[in-house]
Amino acid sequence: MNDAIVQSANKHFSSSYFEARQKFRDYVCQALVGKAAVYSSPAPGPGGEELSTDVGWFGDLEASKVGILISATHGVEGYCGSAAQLDWLAERGYERLKSDEAMLLIHAINPYGFAWDRRVTQEGCDLNRNFIDFAAPIPQNEGYDALAESLVPRALEGPVFAAAEAAIETYRATYGETAYRKARTTGQYRHPKGMFFGGFGPTLARQTLERIVSDYSIGSRRRVLIVDYHTGLGPYGYGELQCEQASGVTGYQRARDIFGHSVTSPDLGTSSALVLNGTQDDYWQRLLGDRHVYVCLEFGTYPPEAARPLLRADHWLYAYGQAQIESGVGRGIRQRVKQHYYPERTDWKEMVLYRSRQVHRQLMEGMRA
């Protein structure tokens, strides 16, 4: 066992959004370099606390080459991304920046989801399905339409629940597992109480990212490399570097040149994720085109099928069980969601930091390519 990295893991992983945010602020302050900013959220925390997205800039403010590390796109998955960002700060990664290079750390882009241990934003949206162009035709998902009442039924037990489960199994048997996964996870824009809802317009979290990008003039930079941390897909503890369909095969090739042959692509069928609608990379592609490289650093936790009843319970709670949100039932649902996306085990944390350090090194080297 590498005692040093275990100690780092124990130090940098947090038990709550509020602990993670304070650590981030402390590290940025201690660095005594760069520029910090706080973007307040109108959403309250579980105890009515103020929430925010916190930002730290390191290096030349006019740098043409910028690396960006983003945590908590999917709220509860922020425990992983926050720890990786804190590790980069603790390891003084900013001291290795050369002239004309900078790093932008965006901590908790979806602070509501992080604070409440939910994947969604305060609007109930999956932020990583929210980056479509809402002025263009909205993507259709007929499979989700057919399953909407079954995926989030009005009851989690009894005849209604049994009928929902039967309908899902019939769909899987009829159309196959891939079709079912596409229907459930690729994004839908008609059912606001449902899973993987992409929204009726830009969420506040998306608008926060757009403000940060504008405030730091990211659109004018010559080369921008983005790492967006996620958890929940793939083998336990393995960090898969996924490209998104928005950048296409050329984006995949740019990413592979920097991060190596472990990079995966939905276009090539090598990713553990399917082609998704409205991912964050849709935004970066529209903004920067071939001046950017985006990768989703996805750490596996437990089998995805185990997440289905947890996400169903979470969505049921906020759609039909709101009176129980602050009850033992509601807290229990949130705790189980957290445990799925954040295994609080030393081995998992250690694997996250090993892989994150490698990716951070590759990113910084990639700015010089």
Side-chain angles (χ1 to χ4, degrees):
M1 179 182 290
N2 186 323
D3 291 337
I5 204 164
V6 169
Q7 290 173 6
S8 294
N10 291 335
K11 186 177 181 181
H12 303 324
F13 278 89
S14 303
S15 61
S16 71
Y17 155 80
F18 300 100
E19 180 185 352
R21 181 177 68 178
Q22 189 59 54
K23 287 179 179 178
F24 183 82
R25 290 177 175 179
D26 289 346
Y27 272 121
V28 171
C29 181
Q30 290 165 14
L32 298 177
V33 294
K35 173 184 175 185
V38 175
Y39 294 79
S40 296
S41 168
E49 307 94 335
E50 180 181 322
L51 307 180
S52 63
T53 295
D54 290 73
V55 169
W57 176 279
F58 302 87
D60 182 2
L61 284 171
E62 303 301 322
S64 69
K65 295 170 285 187
V66 179
I68 304 178
L69 308 180
I70 303 175
S71 64
T73 295
H74 281 147
V76 67
E77 301 175 20
Y79 294 96
C80 166
S82 172
Q85 290 173 316
L86 293 173
D87 190 62
W88 184 85
L89 289 166
E91 293 294 305
R92 297 179 175 273
Y94 47 83
E95 293 182 348
R96 295 188 287 277
L97 290 167
K98 298 186 181 299
S99 61
D100 201 32
E101 296 176 355
M103 288 286 285
L104 175 64
L105 274 60
I106 302 176
H107 186 268
I109 190 60
N110 173 13
Y112 165 84
F114 197 168
W116 284 88
D117 290 321
R118 305 190 70 201
R119 289 182 78 256
V120 297
T121 66
Q122 63 210 73
E123 301 93 343
C125 291
D126 184 318
L127 181 57
N128 212 36
R129 309 294 186 275
N130 185 238
F131 288 95
I132 65 168
D133 178 358
F134 283 96
I138 302 300
Q140 300 299 305
N141 188 338
E142 295 178 356
Y144 193 96
D145 293 343
L147 290 171
E149 294 299 318
S150 300
L151 290 169
V152 185
R154 292 180 175 271
L156 296 181
E157 58 185 6
V160 171
F161 180 76
E165 286 290 270
I168 290 171
E169 292 311 310
T170 297
Y171 188 96
R172 295 169 90 164
T174 303
Y175 299 103
E177 196 64 22
T178 299
Y180 166 68
R181 282 188 65 202
K182 287 181 178 179
R184 190 173 76 92
T185 67
T186 57
Q188 55 88 12
Y189 299 85
R190 294 185 60 188
H191 308 276
K193 295 181 180 179
M195 297 181 184
F196 304 98
F197 173 56
F200 296 131
T203 60
L204 289 170
R206 170 177 166 173
Q207 293 173 51
T208 297
L209 179 62
E210 291 169 345
R211 282 176 56 202
I212 294 168
V213 165
S214 175
D215 289 348
Y216 289 89
S217 303
I218 300 302
S220 67
R221 313 290 173 165
R222 180 170 62 85
R223 187 171 177 81
V224 180
L225 311 181
I226 306 112
V227 175
D228 181 22
Y229 306 91
H230 289 256
T231 65
L233 285 180
Y236 178 89
Y238 177 69
E240 178 186 344
L241 282 168
Q242 301 171 350
C243 290
E244 300 290 0
Q245 192 271 339
S247 292
V249 173
T250 58
Y252 161 74
Q253 291 171 340
R254 294 196 303 269
R256 195 179 68 171
D257 289 343
I258 295 170
F259 299 104
H261 288 260
S262 68
V263 177
T264 65
S265 166
D267 285 307
L268 301 177
T270 55
S271 175
S272 63
L274 300 171
V275 173
L276 307 175
N277 294 313
T279 68
Q280 194 181 118
D281 194 36
D282 285 78
Y283 170 65
W284 296 115
Q285 178 65 25
R286 287 195 300 270
L287 180 73
L288 295 163
D290 62 7
R291 289 183 289 131
H292 91 290
V293 173
Y294 168 92
V295 287
C296 164
L297 180 50
E298 178 86 47
F299 287 96
T301 58
Y302 303 109
E305 185 64 16
R308 185 169 73 90
L310 302 178
L311 294 181
R312 167 186 270 175
D314 172 80
H315 283 279
W316 169 86
L317 180 67
Y318 288 83
Y320 305 114
Q322 291 189 355
Q324 300 187 66
I325 289 174
E326 294 299 337
S327 72
V329 170
R331 288 191 293 273
I333 289 172
R334 296 203 300 271
Q335 180 63 24
R336 289 191 291 276
V337 172
K338 176 183 177 181
Q339 289 171 344
H340 181 86
Y341 291 99
Y342 172 32
E344 295 187 68
R345 293 178 52 87
T346 299
D347 61 342
W348 188 82
K349 296 176 184 179
E350 188 179 10
M351 294 169 78
V352 167
L353 290 196
Y354 267 128
R355 178 63 157 154
S356 295
R357 288 182 180 183
Q358 179 189 44
V359 170
H360 295 162
R361 174 183 57 77
Q362 291 171 321
L363 181 147
M364 295 183 74
E365 292 173 352
M367 285 196 287
R368 297 153 201 164

